[in-house]
PDB file of all heavy atoms in Angstrom:
ATOM      1  N   PRO A  13     -29.787   7.664   0.749  1.00 94.00           N
ATOM      2  CA  PRO A  13     -28.863   8.814   0.841  1.00 94.00           C
ATOM      3  C   PRO A  13     -28.121   9.128  -0.437  1.00 94.00           C
ATOM      4  O   PRO A  13     -27.867  10.284  -0.764  1.00 94.00           O
ATOM      5  CB  PRO A  13     -27.928   8.400   1.980  1.00 94.00           C
ATOM      6  CG  PRO A  13     -28.713   7.472   2.813  1.00 94.00           C
ATOM      7  CD  PRO A  13     -29.555   6.700   1.841  1.00 94.00           C
ATOM      8  N   LEU A  14     -27.708   8.081  -1.186  1.00 94.00           N
ATOM      9  CA  LEU A  14     -26.979   8.327  -2.427  1.00 94.00           C
ATOM     10  C   LEU A  14     -27.911   8.949  -3.449  1.00 94.00           C
ATOM     11  O   LEU A  14     -27.508   9.830  -4.221  1.00 94.00           O
ATOM     12  CB  LEU A  14     -26.389   7.023  -2.965  1.00 94.00           C
ATOM     13  CG  LEU A  14     -25.138   6.512  -2.306  1.00 94.00           C
ATOM     14  CD1 LEU A  14     -24.684   5.200  -2.984  1.00 94.00           C
ATOM     15  CD2 LEU A  14     -24.026   7.553  -2.347  1.00 94.00           C
ATOM     16  N   ILE A  15     -29.179   8.509  -3.470  1.00 95.00           N
ATOM     17  CA  ILE A  15     -30.144   9.154  -4.406  1.00 95.00           C
ATOM     18  C   ILE A  15     -30.314  10.603  -4.029  1.00 95.00           C
ATOM     19  O   ILE A  15     -30.381  11.496  -4.907  1.00 95.00           O
ATOM     20  CB  ILE A  15     -31.482   8.399  -4.346  1.00 95.00           C
ATOM     21  CG1 ILE A  15     -31.336   6.962  -4.923  1.00 95.00           C
ATOM     22  CG2 ILE A  15     -32.575   9.153  -5.096  1.00 95.00           C
ATOM     23  CD1 ILE A  15     -32.580   6.117  -4.790  1.00 95.00           C
ATOM     24  N   ASN A  16     -30.448  10.900  -2.721  1.00 95.00           N
ATOM     25  CA  ASN A  16     -30.572  12.286  -2.308  1.00 95.00           C
ATOM     26  C   ASN A  16     -29.314  13.091  -2.686  1.00 95.00           C
ATOM     27  O   ASN A  16     -29.427  14.262  -3.077  1.00 95.00           O
ATOM     28  CB  ASN A  16     -30.786  12.340  -0.771  1.00 95.00           C
ATOM     29  CG  ASN A  16     -32.102  11.751  -0.361  1.00 95.00           C
ATOM     30  OD1 ASN A  16     -33.041  11.702  -1.162  1.00 95.00           O
ATOM     31  ND2 ASN A  16     -32.210  11.308   0.847  1.00 95.00           N
ATOM     32  N   SER A  17     -28.138  12.491  -2.567  1.00 94.00           N
ATOM     33  CA  SER A  17     -26.928  13.195  -2.902  1.00 94.00           C
ATOM     34  C   SER A  17     -26.887  13.532  -4.410  1.00 94.00           C
ATOM     35  O   SER A  17     -26.486  14.636  -4.795  1.00 94.00           O
ATOM     36  CB  SER A  17     -25.697  12.318  -2.531  1.00 94.00           C
ATOM     37  OG  SER A  17     -25.618  12.183  -1.147  1.00 94.00           O
ATOM     38  N   VAL A  18     -27.297  12.560  -5.217  1.00 94.00           N
ATOM     39  CA  VAL A  18     -27.331  12.797  -6.692  1.00 94.00           C
ATOM     40  C   VAL A  18     -28.315  13.907  -7.015  1.00 94.00           C
ATOM     41  O   VAL A  18     -28.022  14.812  -7.831  1.00 94.00           O
ATOM     42  CB  VAL A  18     -27.693  11.510  -7.442  1.00 94.00           C
ATOM     43  CG1 VAL A  18     -27.926  11.773  -8.907  1.00 94.00           C
ATOM     44  CG2 VAL A  18     -26.601  10.450  -7.234  1.00 94.00           C
ATOM     45  N   ILE A  19     -29.464  13.890  -6.386  1.00 95.00           N
ATOM     46  CA  ILE A  19     -30.491  14.907  -6.673  1.00 95.00           C
ATOM     47  C   ILE A  19     -30.019  16.281  -6.252  1.00 95.00           C
ATOM     48  O   ILE A  19     -30.088  17.273  -7.008  1.00 95.00           O
ATOM     49  CB  ILE A  19     -31.820  14.568  -5.973  1.00 95.00           C
ATOM     50  CG1 ILE A  19     -32.453  13.306  -6.578  1.00 95.00           C
ATOM     51  CG2 ILE A  19     -32.804  15.720  -6.068  1.00 95.00           C
ATOM     52  CD1 ILE A  19     -33.661  12.814  -5.878  1.00 95.00           C
ATOM     53  N   ILE A  20     -29.485  16.401  -5.018  1.00 96.00           N
ATOM     54  CA  ILE A  20     -29.056  17.694  -4.482  1.00 96.00           C
ATOM     55  C   ILE A  20     -27.843  18.187  -5.235  1.00 96.00           C
ATOM     56  O   ILE A  20     -27.814  19.378  -5.705  1.00 96.00           O
ATOM     57  CB  ILE A  20     -28.763  17.571  -2.995  1.00 96.00           C
ATOM     58  CG1 ILE A  20     -30.061  17.271  -2.201  1.00 96.00           C
ATOM     59  CG2 ILE A  20     -28.095  18.850  -2.471  1.00 96.00           C
ATOM     60  CD1 ILE A  20     -29.833  16.962  -0.731  1.00 96.00           C
ATOM     61  N   SER A  21     -26.828  17.355  -5.393  1.00 95.00           N
ATOM     62  CA  SER A  21     -25.574  17.800  -6.074  1.00 95.00           C
ATOM     63  C   SER A  21     -25.817  18.063  -7.554  1.00 95.00           C
ATOM     64  O   SER A  21     -25.353  19.061  -8.097  1.00 95.00           O
ATOM     65  CB  SER A  21     -24.477  16.735  -5.909  1.00 95.00           C
ATOM     66  OG  SER A  21     -24.223  16.518  -4.549  1.00 95.00           O
ATOM     67  N   GLY A  22     -26.599  17.185  -8.215  1.00 94.00           N
ATOM     68  CA  GLY A  22     -26.885  17.368  -9.618  1.00 94.00           C
ATOM     69  C   GLY A  22     -27.711  18.606  -9.919  1.00 94.00           C
ATOM     70  O   GLY A  22     -27.395  19.370 -10.850  1.00 94.00           O
ATOM     71  N   SER A  23     -28.724  18.796  -9.093  1.00 96.00           N
ATOM     72  CA  SER A  23     -29.573  20.030  -9.296  1.00 96.00           C
ATOM     73  C   SER A  23     -28.769  21.292  -9.044  1.00 96.00           C
ATOM     74  O   SER A  23     -28.909  22.291  -9.797  1.00 96.00           O
ATOM     75  CB  SER A  23     -30.790  19.974  -8.350  1.00 96.00           C
ATOM     76  OG  SER A  23     -31.533  18.818  -8.611  1.00 96.00           O
ATOM     77  N   THR A  24     -27.941  21.278  -8.027  1.00 97.00           N
ATOM     78  CA  THR A  24     -27.116  22.431  -7.730  1.00 97.00           C
ATOM     79  C   THR A  24     -26.142  22.722  -8.865  1.00 97.00           C
ATOM     80  O   THR A  24     -25.961  23.883  -9.254  1.00 97.00           O
ATOM     81  CB  THR A  24     -26.346  22.252  -6.412  1.00 97.00           C
ATOM     82  OG1 THR A  24     -27.263  21.970  -5.363  1.00 97.00           O
ATOM     83  CG2 THR A  24     -25.519  23.453  -6.075  1.00 97.00           C
ATOM     84  N   ALA A  25     -25.509  21.683  -9.381  1.00 95.00           N
ATOM     85  CA  ALA A  25     -24.553  21.879 -10.475  1.00 95.00           C
ATOM     86  C   ALA A  25     -25.255  22.401 -11.723  1.00 95.00           C
ATOM     87  O   ALA A  25     -24.732  23.291 -12.411  1.00 95.00           O
ATOM     88  CB  ALA A  25     -23.840  20.519 -10.790  1.00 95.00           C
ATOM     89  N   LEU A  26     -26.428  21.877 -12.040  1.00 96.00           N
ATOM     90  CA  LEU A  26     -27.152  22.310 -13.248  1.00 96.00           C
ATOM     91  C   LEU A  26     -27.527  23.759 -13.148  1.00 96.00           C
ATOM     92  O   LEU A  26     -27.328  24.570 -14.059  1.00 96.00           O
ATOM     93  CB  LEU A  26     -28.377  21.425 -13.456  1.00 96.00           C
ATOM     94  CG  LEU A  26     -29.259  21.787 -14.666  1.00 96.00           C
ATOM     95  CD1 LEU A  26     -28.484  21.650 -15.952  1.00 96.00           C
ATOM     96  CD2 LEU A  26     -30.512  20.866 -14.685  1.00 96.00           C
ATOM     97  N   LEU A  27     -28.169  24.159 -12.013  1.00 97.00           N
ATOM     98  CA  LEU A  27     -28.571  25.534 -11.817  1.00 97.00           C
ATOM     99  C   LEU A  27     -27.371  26.502 -11.792  1.00 97.00           C
ATOM    100  O   LEU A  27     -27.430  27.575 -12.367  1.00 97.00           O
ATOM    101  CB  LEU A  27     -29.373  25.667 -10.520  1.00 97.00           C
ATOM    102  CG  LEU A  27     -30.777  25.088 -10.531  1.00 97.00           C
ATOM    103  CD1 LEU A  27     -31.403  25.203  -9.147  1.00 97.00           C
ATOM    104  CD2 LEU A  27     -31.664  25.768 -11.545  1.00 97.00           C
ATOM    105  N   THR A  28     -26.296  26.040 -11.166  1.00 96.00           N
ATOM    106  CA  THR A  28     -25.104  26.919 -11.109  1.00 96.00           C
ATOM    107  C   THR A  28     -24.513  27.159 -12.477  1.00 96.00           C
ATOM    108  O   THR A  28     -24.146  28.287 -12.793  1.00 96.00           O
ATOM    109  CB  THR A  28     -24.052  26.246 -10.204  1.00 96.00           C
ATOM    110  OG1 THR A  28     -24.606  26.055  -8.874  1.00 96.00           O
ATOM    111  CG2 THR A  28     -22.827  27.133 -10.084  1.00 96.00           C
ATOM    112  N   VAL A  29     -24.481  26.136 -13.330  1.00 95.00           N
ATOM    113  CA  VAL A  29     -23.913  26.290 -14.661  1.00 95.00           C
ATOM    114  C   VAL A  29     -24.759  27.242 -15.486  1.00 95.00           C
ATOM    115  O   VAL A  29     -24.203  28.121 -16.184  1.00 95.00           O
ATOM    116  CB  VAL A  29     -23.804  24.908 -15.350  1.00 95.00           C
ATOM    117  CG1 VAL A  29     -23.581  25.073 -16.837  1.00 95.00           C
ATOM    118  CG2 VAL A  29     -22.675  24.081 -14.731  1.00 95.00           C
ATOM    119  N   ILE A  30     -26.092  27.108 -15.435  1.00 94.00           N
ATOM    120  CA  ILE A  30     -26.958  27.979 -16.179  1.00 94.00           C
ATOM    121  C   ILE A  30     -26.829  29.424 -15.732  1.00 94.00           C
ATOM    122  O   ILE A  30     -26.627  30.340 -16.550  1.00 94.00           O
ATOM    123  CB  ILE A  30     -28.428  27.488 -16.041  1.00 94.00           C
ATOM    124  CG1 ILE A  30     -28.588  26.127 -16.680  1.00 94.00           C
ATOM    125  CG2 ILE A  30     -29.347  28.515 -16.705  1.00 94.00           C
ATOM    126  CD1 ILE A  30     -29.970  25.521 -16.491  1.00 94.00           C
ATOM    127  N   VAL A  31     -26.909  29.684 -14.446  1.00 94.00           N
ATOM    128  CA  VAL A  31     -26.872  31.034 -13.940  1.00 94.00           C
ATOM    129  C   VAL A  31     -25.477  31.648 -14.107  1.00 94.00           C
ATOM    130  O   VAL A  31     -25.344  32.794 -14.491  1.00 94.00           O
ATOM    131  CB  VAL A  31     -27.307  31.094 -12.452  1.00 94.00           C
ATOM    132  CG1 VAL A  31     -27.199  32.504 -11.925  1.00 94.00           C
ATOM    133  CG2 VAL A  31     -28.723  30.563 -12.298  1.00 94.00           C
ATOM    134  N   ALA A  32     -24.447  30.831 -13.860  1.00 94.00           N
ATOM    135  CA  ALA A  32     -23.097  31.341 -14.032  1.00 94.00           C
ATOM    136  C   ALA A  32     -22.800  31.659 -15.464  1.00 94.00           C
ATOM    137  O   ALA A  32     -22.102  32.670 -15.754  1.00 94.00           O
ATOM    138  CB  ALA A  32     -22.080  30.320 -13.501  1.00 94.00           C
ATOM    139  N   GLY A  33     -23.296  30.876 -16.412  1.00 91.00           N
ATOM    140  CA  GLY A  33     -23.090  31.176 -17.798  1.00 91.00           C
ATOM    141  C   GLY A  33     -23.750  32.474 -18.225  1.00 91.00           C
ATOM    142  O   GLY A  33     -23.158  33.294 -18.962  1.00 91.00           O
ATOM    143  N   LEU A  34     -24.985  32.683 -17.767  1.00 90.00           N
ATOM    144  CA  LEU A  34     -25.698  33.893 -18.107  1.00 90.00           C
ATOM    145  C   LEU A  34     -25.040  35.123 -17.432  1.00 90.00           C
ATOM    146  O   LEU A  34     -25.059  36.237 -18.017  1.00 90.00           O
ATOM    147  CB  LEU A  34     -27.128  33.821 -17.660  1.00 90.00           C
ATOM    148  CG  LEU A  34     -28.001  32.760 -18.409  1.00 90.00           C
ATOM    149  CD1 LEU A  34     -29.400  32.696 -17.806  1.00 90.00           C
ATOM    150  CD2 LEU A  34     -28.081  33.073 -19.902  1.00 90.00           C
ATOM    151  N   ALA A  35     -24.471  34.941 -16.248  1.00 89.00           N
ATOM    152  CA  ALA A  35     -23.792  36.071 -15.578  1.00 89.00           C
ATOM    153  C   ALA A  35     -22.439  36.353 -16.190  1.00 89.00           C
ATOM    154  O   ALA A  35     -21.995  37.512 -16.228  1.00 89.00           O
ATOM    155  CB  ALA A  35     -23.672  35.741 -14.101  1.00 89.00           C
ATOM    156  N   ALA A  36     -21.729  35.271 -16.621  1.00 90.00           N
ATOM    157  CA  ALA A  36     -20.407  35.463 -17.163  1.00 90.00           C
ATOM    158  C   ALA A  36     -20.395  36.087 -18.547  1.00 90.00           C
ATOM    159  O   ALA A  36     -19.401  36.719 -18.948  1.00 90.00           O
ATOM    160  CB  ALA A  36     -19.686  34.115 -17.174  1.00 90.00           C
ATOM    161  N   TYR A  37     -21.493  35.917 -19.288  1.00 88.00           N
ATOM    162  CA  TYR A  37     -21.519  36.421 -20.675  1.00 88.00           C
ATOM    163  C   TYR A  37     -21.316  37.944 -20.745  1.00 88.00           C
ATOM    164  O   TYR A  37     -20.449  38.424 -21.456  1.00 88.00           O
ATOM    165  CB  TYR A  37     -22.813  36.025 -21.331  1.00 88.00           C
ATOM    166  CG  TYR A  37     -22.871  36.411 -22.792  1.00 88.00           C
ATOM    167  CD1 TYR A  37     -22.244  35.641 -23.795  1.00 88.00           C
ATOM    168  CD2 TYR A  37     -23.540  37.554 -23.207  1.00 88.00           C
ATOM    169  CE1 TYR A  37     -22.302  36.000 -25.097  1.00 88.00           C
ATOM    170  CE2 TYR A  37     -23.614  37.921 -24.539  1.00 88.00           C
ATOM    171  CZ  TYR A  37     -22.974  37.150 -25.494  1.00 88.00           C
ATOM    172  OH  TYR A  37     -23.006  37.516 -26.799  1.00 88.00           O
ATOM    173  N   PRO A  38     -22.108  38.756 -20.018  1.00 87.00           N
ATOM    174  CA  PRO A  38     -21.835  40.214 -20.088  1.00 87.00           C
ATOM    175  C   PRO A  38     -20.515  40.602 -19.469  1.00 87.00           C
ATOM    176  O   PRO A  38     -19.916  41.562 -19.939  1.00 87.00           O
ATOM    177  CB  PRO A  38     -23.044  40.799 -19.331  1.00 87.00           C
ATOM    178  CG  PRO A  38     -23.525  39.727 -18.451  1.00 87.00           C
ATOM    179  CD  PRO A  38     -23.289  38.462 -19.203  1.00 87.00           C
ATOM    180  N   LEU A  39     -20.063  39.860 -18.471  1.00 87.00           N
ATOM    181  CA  LEU A  39     -18.761  40.196 -17.898  1.00 87.00           C
ATOM    182  C   LEU A  39     -17.638  39.942 -18.858  1.00 87.00           C
ATOM    183  O   LEU A  39     -16.593  40.594 -18.790  1.00 87.00           O
ATOM    184  CB  LEU A  39     -18.556  39.352 -16.612  1.00 87.00           C
ATOM    185  CG  LEU A  39     -19.476  39.672 -15.430  1.00 87.00           C
ATOM    186  CD1 LEU A  39     -19.293  38.682 -14.323  1.00 87.00           C
ATOM    187  CD2 LEU A  39     -19.216  41.090 -14.917  1.00 87.00           C
ATOM    188  N   SER A  40     -17.826  38.980 -19.752  1.00 87.00           N
ATOM    189  CA  SER A  40     -16.786  38.637 -20.704  1.00 87.00           C
ATOM    190  C   SER A  40     -16.862  39.459 -21.973  1.00 87.00           C
ATOM    191  O   SER A  40     -15.832  39.789 -22.569  1.00 87.00           O
ATOM    192  CB  SER A  40     -16.876  37.171 -21.040  1.00 87.00           C
ATOM    193  OG  SER A  40     -15.952  36.798 -22.065  1.00 87.00           O
ATOM    194  N   ARG A  41     -18.060  39.832 -22.408  1.00 83.00           N
ATOM    195  CA  ARG A  41     -18.272  40.399 -23.718  1.00 83.00           C
ATOM    196  C   ARG A  41     -18.404  41.948 -23.705  1.00 83.00           C
ATOM    197  O   ARG A  41     -18.166  42.603 -24.695  1.00 83.00           O
ATOM    198  CB  ARG A  41     -19.481  39.821 -24.384  1.00 83.00           C
ATOM    199  CG  ARG A  41     -19.286  38.345 -24.782  1.00 83.00           C
ATOM    200  CD  ARG A  41     -18.116  38.220 -25.743  1.00 83.00           C
ATOM    201  NE  ARG A  41     -17.994  36.882 -26.305  1.00 83.00           N
ATOM    202  CZ  ARG A  41     -17.040  36.043 -26.024  1.00 83.00           C
ATOM    203  NH1 ARG A  41     -16.131  36.405 -25.125  1.00 83.00           N
ATOM    204  NH2 ARG A  41     -16.936  34.872 -26.569  1.00 83.00           N
ATOM    205  N   TYR A  42     -18.808  42.535 -22.581  1.00 81.00           N
ATOM    206  CA  TYR A  42     -19.102  43.937 -22.544  1.00 81.00           C
ATOM    207  C   TYR A  42     -18.118  44.662 -21.598  1.00 81.00           C
ATOM    208  O   TYR A  42     -17.683  44.108 -20.585  1.00 81.00           O
ATOM    209  CB  TYR A  42     -20.523  44.221 -22.131  1.00 81.00           C
ATOM    210  CG  TYR A  42     -21.548  43.584 -23.024  1.00 81.00           C
ATOM    211  CD1 TYR A  42     -22.491  42.691 -22.501  1.00 81.00           C
ATOM    212  CD2 TYR A  42     -21.554  43.794 -24.407  1.00 81.00           C
ATOM    213  CE1 TYR A  42     -23.449  42.099 -23.338  1.00 81.00           C
ATOM    214  CE2 TYR A  42     -22.476  43.215 -25.199  1.00 81.00           C
ATOM    215  CZ  TYR A  42     -23.432  42.363 -24.670  1.00 81.00           C
ATOM    216  OH  TYR A  42     -24.353  41.754 -25.491  1.00 81.00           O
ATOM    217  N   GLN A  43     -17.821  45.909 -21.922  1.00 80.00           N
ATOM    218  CA  GLN A  43     -16.968  46.755 -21.081  1.00 80.00           C
ATOM    219  C   GLN A  43     -17.838  47.431 -20.031  1.00 80.00           C
ATOM    220  O   GLN A  43     -18.252  48.597 -20.185  1.00 80.00           O
ATOM    221  CB  GLN A  43     -16.240  47.763 -21.931  1.00 80.00           C
ATOM    222  CG  GLN A  43     -15.251  47.145 -22.935  1.00 80.00           C
ATOM    223  CD  GLN A  43     -14.126  46.434 -22.243  1.00 80.00           C
ATOM    224  OE1 GLN A  43     -13.691  46.813 -21.154  1.00 80.00           O
ATOM    225  NE2 GLN A  43     -13.608  45.375 -22.880  1.00 80.00           N
TER     226      GLN A  43
END
């Protein structure tokens, strides 16, 4: 269960950071 938690939580965090960064860039830099 801990291995599953690391895989699920880590994969979710990694994908979220990548997508959120790409989405936040135009929101921050462009009008």
Side-chain angles (χ1 to χ4, degrees):
L14 283 181
I15 293 175
N16 293 336
S17 295
V18 171
I19 293 175
I20 293 173
S21 302
S23 301
T24 303
L26 179 61
L27 288 176
T28 302
V29 165
I30 294 175
V31 178
L34 294 176
Y37 184 81
L39 292 173
S40 175
R41 291 300 188 251
Y42 302 124
Q43 296 296 327

